[in-house]
Amino acid sequence: MNSILTACSDGDGPERKIQFLHGTTTLAFKFQHGVIVAVDSRATAGAYIASQTVKKVIEINPYLLGTMAGGAADCSFWERLLARQCRVYELRNKERISVAAASKLLANMVYQYKGMGLSMGTMVCGWDKTGPGLYYVDSEGNRVCGDLFAVGSGSMYAYGIVDSGLKQKDLTVEEACDLGCRAIYQATYRDAYSGGQVNLYHVHSEGWNRVSQSDVLMLHQQYQAEKA
Amino acid sequence: MFVTQVYGDNGKMKEYHYTGPVEHRFSPYSFNGGTVLAVAGEDFAIVASDTRLSEGYSIHSRDSPKCYKLTDTTVIGCSGFHGDCLTLTKIIDARLKMYKHSNNKCMTSGAIAAMLSTILYGRRFFPYYVYNIIGGLDEEGKGAVYSFDPVGSYQRDTYKAGGSASAMLQPLLDNQIGFKNMEGVQHLPLSQEKAVQLVKDVFISAAERDVYTGDALRICIVTKDGIKEETVPLRKD
């Protein structure tokens, strides 16, 4: 995560850096019954843990979710603006916006600021008339559709768990939720910049609902007990 | 004000080594120290700050509190660069008046927090170097604390410390108010008297170990009956 105002510091000399909130693990994957979204809740400013209770899933509207990775202010501001644009779309067209269109709106908004130092890696997840939708959008200008994404400093650890769990076909809702939860837990275990709680959401045809919020320490004790 | 860049991380002075002639660029920022703390209770909120204003090795003032009253139910604490703190509070006051004139009612704490987020993000590429914490009562009369980063990311908390001694105070609050890292303790709700005493104790500890915190402590207690202010002396060294 880059910090702003490198222009306002001496070249090689001591720098006065303003610390913003960064570090994370977020993931989302499509499965038979919709989309699972799982995130951690730690925000760091340098080596200091600024908060262990950050809401990294942004509720854009009752059927669209956005995740937060990179700069906390960048993600929450632009996704809040996206929520406004989605509402305007609904009023103008008398129907809900598709996930593809919502993610495109976000991508185009931040593309205008490309190179100026925004830091945002987000996944737009929802359910529209074509079924479950999952797009990855970032401040570099990327926008890709996919079935599985993990974003953030702990993403590699999360990919390991989800890739092996998704090999079995046809997960039930409960199995998919457990998989998402486990993946974030493992990422928090190995990544210093992820931790706090695991927030789990499930997006289905009627919209999204918050499945669980589990403290990582509790999950650790639970998994240790299961191993024994 | 001209500031030569001799600050390392966290605003502490770096050791002096002669490295040869170095070109110093003008920095629009300066670090004036200070610590702010806010706690939300069942029907009250406390915002406290020290009153020392420093720069480098000097103390500019021993009586510069960092809590500013916004409405009858909201107080904001701002620490960091004093110039930006002053400008930011002036802008917030102006926006509060505008809202009152357009909507014929006072802004609620939640609304002020959301507005401050957009004000801060408006300067995303030349930020206000201010760490804000808002303390007040929400619409139901319960205590609310909102903490911000310099560019507007915010969330509602039960307690938060910000400013130069925040890394020292936050773990203590996690333990005493959040009951973290303790086993077998009863989670009792925090009474107003206990909260005020805790805030005083916590600042006394901060003044012992942080050079930028000290002189006096200003506590603002927000309840449905209004805002009460208390001043407690701290170490002046």
Side-chain angles (χ1 to χ4, degrees), chain A residues 9-226:
Chain A
S9 57
D10 267 354
D12 292 324
E15 288 180 325
R16 175 103 298 265
K17 271 198 198 140
I18 293 186
Q19 306 277 26
F20 305 137
L21 309 180
H22 18 323
T24 190
T25 310
T26 60
L27 69 85
F29 61 88
K30 282 190 208 171
F31 73 120
Q32 199 191 6
H33 302 287
V35 189
I36 294 289
V37 183
V39 299
D40 76 317
S41 67
R42 177 174 287 186
T44 48
Y48 178 63
I49 297 173
S51 174
Q52 293 268 60
T53 52
V54 179
K55 299 271 179 306
K56 294 191 189 179
V57 175
I58 293 152
E59 295 156 9
I60 297 170
N61 62 37
Y63 57 94
L64 269 182
L65 291 175
T67 59
M68 181 198 288
D74 290 333
C75 292
S76 43
F77 182 86
W78 289 105
E79 289 183 23
R80 192 166 169 226
L81 214 49
L82 176 65
R84 182 177 159 274
Q85 284 298 102
C86 290
R87 179 69 185 135
V88 170
Y89 178 99
E90 265 178 35
L91 291 167
R92 287 186 177 144
N93 301 93
K94 284 201 206 159
E95 69 169 16
R96 283 182 183 175
I97 192 170
S98 65
V99 185
S103 59
K104 193 95 183 200
L105 282 175
L106 181 62
N108 290 343
M109 278 195 277
V110 296
Y111 185 70
Q112 298 185 305
Y113 293 87
K114 184 172 162 73
M116 293 174 74
L118 288 185
S119 172
M120 187 190 79
T122 184
M123 294 177 286
V124 181
C125 326
W127 188 294
D128 56 33
K129 56 187 184 213
T130 60
L134 176 57
Y135 281 81
Y136 166 72
V137 177
D138 73 16
S139 46
E140 300 301 301
N142 288 314
R143 173 180 166 269
V144 280
C145 182
D147 291 335
L148 159 66
F149 291 110
V151 182
S153 51
S155 59
M156 292 301 129
Y157 307 109
Y159 271 127
I161 303 296
V162 183
D163 282 334
S164 42
L166 277 183
K167 278 202 198 119
Q168 344 148 3
K169 290 280 156 179
D170 300 343
L171 292 172
T172 64
V173 175
E174 209 190 313
E175 283 170 347
C177 290
D178 281 343
L179 183 62
C181 198
R182 189 77 197 235
I184 297 289
Y185 160 74
Q186 290 297 150
T188 61
Y189 189 73
R190 282 294 178 178
D191 178 31
Y193 289 90
S194 304
Q197 297 139 6
V198 180
N199 283 310
L200 199 65
Y201 285 72
H202 174 216
V203 189
H204 48 79
S205 52
E206 314 298 308
W208 56 260
N209 67 276
R210 190 145 175 234
V211 174
S212 65
Q213 178 186 48
S214 339
D215 189 286
V216 160
L217 183 58
M218 298 296 145
L219 283 176
H220 180 74
Q221 288 164 355
Q222 182 193 318
Y223 292 135
Q224 290 293 94
E226 278 170 21

